[in-house]
Amino acid sequence: MADPANTKLGRMLLDEITPAVMVLRTPLVEESCRKNGLSLIEMLTPYCNFNNIDVPVRTADQPYRLRRFKLRLFYASEIRQPNIEAAKERLKQVITHAGDRDISKLSSDPPDIQSLIATSEQEFVPSWFQDFNKELVDAVSFSEHEAFDHPVACLVAVSSKDKDPIDKFVDLFNANQLPSLLNDGAMDPKILKYFLLIHDNQDGLVEKATGILSEMRNAFGANDCRLLCINSSADGAEEHQESPWASYKNGTSNNNQFGCFLNVDDIEELRNTMHDLSSKHIIPHMELKIRVLNQQVSATRKGFRNQIKNLWWRKGKEDTLENPDGSTYTFSSTESQIRVLGDYAFMLRDYELALSNYRLISTDYKLDKAWKYYAGVQEMMGLAYFMLDQSRKDSEYCMENAFTTYLKMGSSGGWNATRCGIWWAEMLKARDQFKDAAGVYCRISGEEPLHSAVMLEQASYCFLFSTPTMLRKYGFHIVLSGDLYMKCDQVKHAIRTYRSALSVFKGTTWNHISDHVHFHIGKWYAFLGMSDEGIKHLLEVLACGHQSKATQELFLREFFRIIEETGKTFEVMRLQLPVINFPLMKVVFEDHRTYASPTAASAKESLWQSLEEDIIPSHSVMKTNWLESQPKILPKKYKESNVCVAGEAIKVDISLKNPLQIPISISNVSLICKHSAEYDDTESDANGHLIDYQNNKELRTAVSVSGDFSLETSLFTLSEVDISMRGGETILVQLTVTPKIEGSLKIIGVRWKLSGSVVGVCNFHSDIVRKKVAKGKRKLKQSVKDNLQFLVIKSLPRLEGVIHDLPTTVCAGDLRRLTLELRNPSKISVKNLKMRISHPRFLNVAAQEVKNSEFPSCLEKQASSSQSCSQVDDAKATNSVFVFPETVASSWEAPLRWPLWFRAAASGSISLYITIYYEMEDGSSVITYRTLRMHYNLEVLPSLEVSFQTSRSPSRLQQFLVRMDVINKTASQSFQVHQLSCVGDQWELALLQPIDSVMPLKFLMAGQALSYFFKLKNHRTRGSTEDDISSLATSGRADVSLLDSDSTGLFDASIPPLNLFHHQERVHQERHKQGHGSTVDFILISKSWSDSSAGLPRTTEVLSHHTCHCRIASNSPIWWLMDGPRSVSHDFAAAAFCEINLSMTIYNNSEDAVSVRISTFDSTPSVNPGASGSGDEVGWHHTSNPSEAKVTSPDVTGTRIGKALPTESVSPFIWSGSSSTRVNLEPLTSVEVPLQISVFSPGTFDLSNYSLHWNLVPPSGNEGGRENDSRVSSGTCKGHSYHVTVLQKE
């Protein structure tokens, strides 16, 4: 810690605990002084403070020099305990005066929190706190239990004009005129007297005064008398460059009138007089008295004998009643003498001597239960410890002891406790113990609200300057302080403290207290007549969605009340009702891209770009920005602008939310725009609070400050919306501006009127506006100010498109014919129309002649139709770009209508995107082509779930059994299953059971499931092309009616749209090719009928379900059948064995050549027929050892390997032909292999003990081509069961 004397508390003690001088004067003396606008004490006070008096002092053994010294002058009438009510009034005046003085600061912005932390205490804490604390200390002056306020001397002043001046000196010190404390015995009346003769030079020559001075010296002594001449200026026009009285007369506005009759000589005389009084009289007098009292105390109280005697004498007083005030102590008592000794030593800076005497007397007061005296001594001990810079613990203990003792005394010690607390807090602050000091200030705040407000404010600053900074406590206590200020009608101080708290709550989640602060600041500003500032703060609490409904109504009502009282219409820049959700804000405009619906405009730009990639001109021909294609026509600064067309609206979607629980009314919502013939680079002011457009002429044509503005101008047209918002409601408002002529258009912001009282204005910042349209694929390099800047070009043709009869909800598989209608409102024709559809699986372009045919009868087979397959062009179907014929053009005279095929291919939410490209006949415009973007959302519901299972026929080559399962997944709709078709002429399909036995009711009801069984035959031969495989059959063999046996009324699956949509399904359902053999595609066609409503006829709905790539072959590429006799008779008595000739037909079902090796092995007798079902039985023979029967287990290749048999076993038959035969088969060919067995005994035999090992033969020159083929290239197949019965021939 620094030198205690240089701390704030040290300076306070050097000012407050100094010798007091009682002043007695005659009225003529006061009259002479008043010529200068000053009283006698006011004239002398500036010269009572000595910063370098340099007087030697010896209060004890060691002498020292006194550098700083001060006198306090009081009139005799002032030497009394102050009136409490008067003291309170003075304190109130100090606070009120400080508030009036700082009123100009109320309009400035409060500092941010970082500035607060970085600010020093001296810079931040209000300066008037020092005056307030001084008044609090003075409120307990001249107490009987303290001696530093007792006068050490009396200055008696008489005018030279007084009659009988000598007698006047005597009369002034009459006992009747002395303070009551001197007459009552609390103070020693025998004090030092200093006689001062005041001579007014304007009243005559100084000779008379000199004669009176001689008489005074003869009567009172030569050393105690002095002549003081004043008012030497003849004209009273003396001006003092630095008035010494200015700091003592703060309440007077004109400081130049002070000392107007005092010249330089007079001022020097005043200084010398007070210096002489201090150095030659008061200081020596106090020094002498200290030595005398010290000797007396040493003789009576110091030493072991005196201490025992004192304790023995006081022992009898323990049973007496408490005497808190201690009024029994007179100035002559030993206790009072010791207290005077301590206070005199303290005032002469001998803190060691003062502390020793305070310790000595402290015990006496405690034993006497004189608590006020005891507390006063403890207080002085703490201050002495502080000034000595010793024992912080002892000093704080003494201050704590004094403070609590004062508080225990109740109201009689309350003001003393306040003074003690102030000194104690300053002591802690001097030691950087700000947190502890804040606790002391909080303890000081008592029942008096105004005093408590000041103390809580000082406590808050201590929390701010503590280490670490305690911001929350700072904010909390300064708000409490402001609340108490307001209760005491100190509105300006309440505003000041609340504004200081704003920096703490800014940016935090403490919304409720932040709203409390802003709301009350706004009210108080309005009370002071500062409505603008009040509105500014009330704006902060309007969007208080976290508050209760009653609180929201209160805030809004107060806001409108203040607005109404002003009688003005404000345009508020930060009006938060309603709240604008900037991330949801979108700007939609049309340049070469036009939109048929709002949903099309909301789709992602990247999606449209990918869809239009193949139909718009290449980037090598056209620039990425339209303006770049005209470098010679347009200046360079236009290239970063958006482009719009005159007569076409720019739409701004703004999301408005009512954050309150109460409804609000919003009217006149419109955009703020600026249009000029030339491009404007200026940027609107977005930082103002109450905006003013008076300096912008063009802007003022659409917007006026009064709020009455025109929506219709010669330059553009604005839309206007009125809405009523319920509590918590969010509304998306679309505002439009339609430029009328070419030029530059800038969207500045949006404006609205709240409840018909306040105009809200929001300026758009481009960093918070999400633009809807991206500029091609290049990275945007637009500056912030250009995002809402538009270049308006001349009017262009704009196509309007719609698809009629497109349902929003439809069942899966639904097949319909729709109509696309295009209109051109402009008189300028367009050409080169192209169209691309995002999902050709759902939507396809039909032929123009289809629009005149009847649907669905146009899909039925015609008797005269050719029996050839209709092949779909893969390249054409995949491209999905439809070019309208050159003869077709869209003009303003008649709309263009074109048929479309629609099929709900899959269930779920589907988004269809269609883009139509067209060029203008008039090529003089900056934009030479445009696109019409169309978007439709539809919900596809499940209808029929169709699944197929195929298996090979066990008795026929290239024949399969097909099972079709159909489930109605709807909740209430019924369907009529019409027909099943296979794709390709190589297939022949037939039902295995009568149709009436499968579905007698002809309808598949909701939730019902049915199974159909079919026979499928493959007519594919070698030489068939891939086109034949993927073609849709027209022969009729692949179409089966599921209604009746009549084949009439079937739909032709080989014509559009069935063939088009089937191609899309094949592409969509394409699977990775696995296994060998072919796949088959099925088309299930069903019907449904829509309910008739509003007198409309019932319509037929056609549904098609496509199942593609159904596998009809296993992992093996070969099929085979064993052929031969099933029963043979042989006489085993005549011949030991019977030879049976068999044949095996092998068919290669793959598209590769196959090498097949047939391996046979002789079988052993099997277990009896009832013993096992393993499938290895070979004849019906009894075996004596069943444990040795062959046990089979499949291996990974499908063969069966049996357990080795004993050598003595006898086989009932053997393969008598070759045990291994190899054949090669070309793709889709068959071969017949002869086989033979020899049977040695009658019985029934299973000829399955053979296997076929196959290998794919790569084409010549392509041996390494199978590295990437995922199919198995080789394998082994076990033999099929084939039973032969051999009977004994009779």
Side-chain angles (χ1 to χ4, degrees), residues 73-96:
L73 306 181
F74 300 95
Y75 291 125
S77 59
E78 297 174 345
I79 300 178
R80 56 182 174 80
Q81 293 184 1
N83 181 270
I84 298 300
E85 295 301 324
K88 291 181 180 179
E89 188 62 30
R90 286 196 302 272
L91 289 171
K92 184 177 180 180
Q93 291 177 1
V94 171
I95 297 174
T96 304

mmCIF file of all heavy atoms in Angstrom, residues 73-96:
data_model
loop_
_atom_site.group_PDB
_atom_site.id
_atom_site.type_symbol
_atom_site.label_atom_id
_atom_site.label_comp_id
_atom_site.label_asym_id
_atom_site.label_seq_id
_atom_site.Cartn_x
_atom_site.Cartn_y
_atom_site.Cartn_z
ATOM 1 N N LEU A 73 -12.665 26.320 10.790
ATOM 2 C CA LEU A 73 -13.249 27.478 11.443
ATOM 3 C C LEU A 73 -14.754 27.301 11.575
ATOM 4 O O LEU A 73 -15.425 26.898 10.608
ATOM 5 C CB LEU A 73 -12.947 28.744 10.640
ATOM 6 C CG LEU A 73 -11.467 29.025 10.312
ATOM 7 C CD1 LEU A 73 -11.334 30.327 9.544
ATOM 8 C CD2 LEU A 73 -10.629 29.090 11.592
ATOM 9 N N PHE A 74 -15.283 27.582 12.748
ATOM 10 C CA PHE A 74 -16.713 27.489 13.007
ATOM 11 C C PHE A 74 -17.158 28.694 13.829
ATOM 12 O O PHE A 74 -16.453 29.128 14.755
ATOM 13 C CB PHE A 74 -17.054 26.214 13.798
ATOM 14 C CG PHE A 74 -16.673 24.937 13.103
ATOM 15 C CD1 PHE A 74 -15.458 24.324 13.395
ATOM 16 C CD2 PHE A 74 -17.507 24.367 12.172
ATOM 17 C CE1 PHE A 74 -15.101 23.160 12.762
ATOM 18 C CE2 PHE A 74 -17.149 23.196 11.538
ATOM 19 C CZ PHE A 74 -15.944 22.582 11.819
ATOM 20 N N TYR A 75 -18.321 29.219 13.487
ATOM 21 C CA TYR A 75 -18.931 30.225 14.345
ATOM 22 C C TYR A 75 -19.417 29.535 15.615
ATOM 23 O O TYR A 75 -19.666 28.329 15.629
ATOM 24 C CB TYR A 75 -20.108 30.901 13.639
ATOM 25 C CG TYR A 75 -19.680 31.788 12.486
ATOM 26 C CD1 TYR A 75 -20.206 31.610 11.215
ATOM 27 C CD2 TYR A 75 -18.772 32.823 12.693
ATOM 28 C CE1 TYR A 75 -19.834 32.408 10.156
ATOM 29 C CE2 TYR A 75 -18.389 33.641 11.630
ATOM 30 C CZ TYR A 75 -18.909 33.425 10.374
ATOM 31 O OH TYR A 75 -18.516 34.228 9.339
ATOM 32 N N ALA A 76 -19.545 30.316 16.654
ATOM 33 C CA ALA A 76 -19.962 29.755 17.942
ATOM 34 C C ALA A 76 -21.332 29.104 17.834
ATOM 35 O O ALA A 76 -21.612 28.078 18.483
ATOM 36 C CB ALA A 76 -19.978 30.861 19.004
ATOM 37 N N SER A 77 -22.187 29.663 16.993
ATOM 38 C CA SER A 77 -23.526 29.100 16.838
ATOM 39 C C SER A 77 -23.506 27.749 16.131
ATOM 40 O O SER A 77 -24.468 26.979 16.205
ATOM 41 C CB SER A 77 -24.413 30.077 16.067
ATOM 42 O OG SER A 77 -23.845 30.336 14.780
ATOM 43 N N GLU A 78 -22.423 27.447 15.434
ATOM 44 C CA GLU A 78 -22.333 26.185 14.695
ATOM 45 C C GLU A 78 -21.735 25.067 15.525
ATOM 46 O O GLU A 78 -21.793 23.905 15.116
ATOM 47 C CB GLU A 78 -21.497 26.376 13.428
ATOM 48 C CG GLU A 78 -22.083 27.357 12.439
ATOM 49 C CD GLU A 78 -21.181 27.641 11.261
ATOM 50 O OE1 GLU A 78 -19.967 27.294 11.332
ATOM 51 O OE2 GLU A 78 -21.645 28.214 10.264
ATOM 52 N N ILE A 79 -21.148 25.422 16.667
ATOM 53 C CA ILE A 79 -20.508 24.403 17.487
ATOM 54 C C ILE A 79 -21.594 23.750 18.343
ATOM 55 O O ILE A 79 -21.808 24.089 19.515
ATOM 56 C CB ILE A 79 -19.377 25.015 18.337
ATOM 57 C CG1 ILE A 79 -18.324 25.632 17.415
ATOM 58 C CG2 ILE A 79 -18.750 23.954 19.226
ATOM 59 C CD1 ILE A 79 -17.180 26.300 18.147
ATOM 60 N N ARG A 80 -22.269 22.831 17.755
ATOM 61 C CA ARG A 80 -23.327 22.067 18.402
ATOM 62 C C ARG A 80 -23.607 20.850 17.530
ATOM 63 O O ARG A 80 -23.228 20.798 16.350
ATOM 64 C CB ARG A 80 -24.592 22.896 18.540
ATOM 65 C CG ARG A 80 -25.114 23.468 17.229
ATOM 66 C CD ARG A 80 -26.336 24.326 17.429
ATOM 67 N NE ARG A 80 -26.753 24.974 16.203
ATOM 68 C CZ ARG A 80 -27.453 24.380 15.236
ATOM 69 N NH1 ARG A 80 -27.830 23.119 15.356
ATOM 70 N NH2 ARG A 80 -27.788 25.050 14.143
ATOM 71 N N GLN A 81 -24.246 19.882 18.128
ATOM 72 C CA GLN A 81 -24.576 18.690 17.356
ATOM 73 C C GLN A 81 -25.630 19.032 16.300
ATOM 74 O O GLN A 81 -26.668 19.610 16.632
ATOM 75 C CB GLN A 81 -25.088 17.595 18.288
ATOM 76 C CG GLN A 81 -24.014 17.080 19.236
ATOM 77 C CD GLN A 81 -24.512 15.925 20.090
ATOM 78 O OE1 GLN A 81 -25.648 15.500 19.953
ATOM 79 N NE2 GLN A 81 -23.663 15.440 20.986
ATOM 80 N N PRO A 82 -25.365 18.713 15.023
ATOM 81 C CA PRO A 82 -26.285 19.106 13.942
ATOM 82 C C PRO A 82 -27.656 18.491 14.121
ATOM 83 O O PRO A 82 -27.816 17.399 14.672
ATOM 84 C CB PRO A 82 -25.598 18.578 12.683
ATOM 85 C CG PRO A 82 -24.179 18.365 13.068
ATOM 86 C CD PRO A 82 -24.188 17.985 14.515
ATOM 87 N N ASN A 83 -28.642 19.188 13.617
ATOM 88 C CA ASN A 83 -30.001 18.664 13.598
ATOM 89 C C ASN A 83 -30.106 17.574 12.532
ATOM 90 O O ASN A 83 -29.670 17.747 11.400
ATOM 91 C CB ASN A 83 -30.972 19.813 13.289
ATOM 92 C CG ASN A 83 -32.402 19.331 13.268
ATOM 93 O OD1 ASN A 83 -32.911 18.933 12.239
ATOM 94 N ND2 ASN A 83 -33.056 19.383 14.429
ATOM 95 N N ILE A 84 -30.696 16.441 12.921
ATOM 96 C CA ILE A 84 -30.746 15.288 12.017
ATOM 97 C C ILE A 84 -31.541 15.607 10.756
ATOM 98 O O ILE A 84 -31.129 15.277 9.643
ATOM 99 C CB ILE A 84 -31.327 14.069 12.743
ATOM 100 C CG1 ILE A 84 -30.418 13.670 13.926
ATOM 101 C CG2 ILE A 84 -31.477 12.908 11.785
ATOM 102 C CD1 ILE A 84 -29.009 13.318 13.518
ATOM 103 N N GLU A 85 -32.673 16.264 10.926
ATOM 104 C CA GLU A 85 -33.495 16.586 9.766
ATOM 105 C C GLU A 85 -32.783 17.544 8.826
ATOM 106 O O GLU A 85 -32.865 17.415 7.597
ATOM 107 C CB GLU A 85 -34.831 17.177 10.215
ATOM 108 C CG GLU A 85 -35.704 16.215 10.998
ATOM 109 C CD GLU A 85 -36.032 14.962 10.190
ATOM 110 O OE1 GLU A 85 -36.207 15.083 8.956
ATOM 111 O OE2 GLU A 85 -36.112 13.877 10.788
ATOM 112 N N ALA A 86 -32.081 18.524 9.418
ATOM 113 C CA ALA A 86 -31.323 19.455 8.585
ATOM 114 C C ALA A 86 -30.200 18.736 7.846
ATOM 115 O O ALA A 86 -29.897 19.033 6.687
ATOM 116 C CB ALA A 86 -30.767 20.592 9.442
ATOM 117 N N ALA A 87 -29.564 17.773 8.541
ATOM 118 C CA ALA A 87 -28.504 17.000 7.894
ATOM 119 C C ALA A 87 -29.050 16.183 6.721
ATOM 120 O O ALA A 87 -28.437 16.092 5.650
ATOM 121 C CB ALA A 87 -27.834 16.087 8.912
ATOM 122 N N LYS A 88 -30.242 15.603 6.943
ATOM 123 C CA LYS A 88 -30.849 14.841 5.846
ATOM 124 C C LYS A 88 -31.161 15.746 4.660
ATOM 125 O O LYS A 88 -30.983 15.355 3.505
ATOM 126 C CB LYS A 88 -32.129 14.171 6.336
ATOM 127 C CG LYS A 88 -31.908 13.040 7.329
ATOM 128 C CD LYS A 88 -33.248 12.435 7.734
ATOM 129 C CE LYS A 88 -33.054 11.288 8.733
ATOM 130 N NZ LYS A 88 -34.358 10.713 9.151
ATOM 131 N N GLU A 89 -31.614 16.934 4.934
ATOM 132 C CA GLU A 89 -31.936 17.863 3.855
ATOM 133 C C GLU A 89 -30.687 18.257 3.076
ATOM 134 O O GLU A 89 -30.713 18.373 1.847
ATOM 135 C CB GLU A 89 -32.634 19.083 4.423
ATOM 136 C CG GLU A 89 -33.179 20.041 3.373
ATOM 137 C CD GLU A 89 -34.225 19.421 2.478
ATOM 138 O OE1 GLU A 89 -34.941 18.503 2.950
ATOM 139 O OE2 GLU A 89 -34.326 19.829 1.295
ATOM 140 N N ARG A 90 -29.601 18.483 3.806
ATOM 141 C CA ARG A 90 -28.348 18.832 3.114
ATOM 142 C C ARG A 90 -27.869 17.678 2.238
ATOM 143 O O ARG A 90 -27.371 17.897 1.132
ATOM 144 C CB ARG A 90 -27.277 19.206 4.145
ATOM 145 C CG ARG A 90 -27.477 20.565 4.796
ATOM 146 C CD ARG A 90 -26.215 21.041 5.494
ATOM 147 N NE ARG A 90 -25.761 20.108 6.514
ATOM 148 C CZ ARG A 90 -26.165 20.133 7.791
ATOM 149 N NH1 ARG A 90 -27.047 21.049 8.184
ATOM 150 N NH2 ARG A 90 -25.711 19.263 8.657
ATOM 151 N N LEU A 91 -27.992 16.461 2.759
ATOM 152 C CA LEU A 91 -27.595 15.303 1.961
ATOM 153 C C LEU A 91 -28.454 15.182 0.701
ATOM 154 O O LEU A 91 -27.952 14.861 -0.378
ATOM 155 C CB LEU A 91 -27.712 14.032 2.802
ATOM 156 C CG LEU A 91 -26.683 13.857 3.921
ATOM 157 C CD1 LEU A 91 -27.053 12.677 4.805
ATOM 158 C CD2 LEU A 91 -25.293 13.641 3.337
ATOM 159 N N LYS A 92 -29.729 15.446 0.852
ATOM 160 C CA LYS A 92 -30.616 15.389 -0.304
ATOM 161 C C LYS A 92 -30.245 16.449 -1.329
ATOM 162 O O LYS A 92 -30.281 16.198 -2.550
ATOM 163 C CB LYS A 92 -32.063 15.568 0.161
ATOM 164 C CG LYS A 92 -33.080 15.432 -0.958
ATOM 165 C CD LYS A 92 -34.501 15.549 -0.429
ATOM 166 C CE LYS A 92 -35.511 15.418 -1.564
ATOM 167 N NZ LYS A 92 -36.901 15.523 -1.060
ATOM 168 N N GLN A 93 -29.870 17.645 -0.840
ATOM 169 C CA GLN A 93 -29.468 18.700 -1.762
ATOM 170 C C GLN A 93 -28.197 18.336 -2.512
ATOM 171 O O GLN A 93 -28.049 18.649 -3.702
ATOM 172 C CB GLN A 93 -29.273 20.006 -0.986
ATOM 173 C CG GLN A 93 -30.570 20.607 -0.456
ATOM 174 C CD GLN A 93 -30.323 21.848 0.361
ATOM 175 O OE1 GLN A 93 -29.177 22.290 0.530
ATOM 176 N NE2 GLN A 93 -31.406 22.432 0.900
ATOM 177 N N VAL A 94 -27.278 17.678 -1.816
ATOM 178 C CA VAL A 94 -26.043 17.237 -2.486
ATOM 179 C C VAL A 94 -26.376 16.275 -3.626
ATOM 180 O O VAL A 94 -25.846 16.384 -4.741
ATOM 181 C CB VAL A 94 -25.093 16.582 -1.465
ATOM 182 C CG1 VAL A 94 -23.916 15.916 -2.191
ATOM 183 C CG2 VAL A 94 -24.583 17.602 -0.480
ATOM 184 N N ILE A 95 -27.272 15.317 -3.346
ATOM 185 C CA ILE A 95 -27.626 14.324 -4.359
ATOM 186 C C ILE A 95 -28.390 14.967 -5.508
ATOM 187 O O ILE A 95 -28.134 14.700 -6.692
ATOM 188 C CB ILE A 95 -28.446 13.197 -3.712
ATOM 189 C CG1 ILE A 95 -27.591 12.466 -2.657
ATOM 190 C CG2 ILE A 95 -28.945 12.219 -4.754
ATOM 191 C CD1 ILE A 95 -28.349 11.433 -1.860
ATOM 192 N N THR A 96 -29.335 15.842 -5.174
ATOM 193 C CA THR A 96 -30.126 16.506 -6.218
ATOM 194 C C THR A 96 -29.252 17.386 -7.100
ATOM 195 O O THR A 96 -29.393 17.395 -8.329
ATOM 196 C CB THR A 96 -31.235 17.342 -5.573
ATOM 197 O OG1 THR A 96 -32.036 16.500 -4.726
ATOM 198 C CG2 THR A 96 -32.112 17.978 -6.633
#
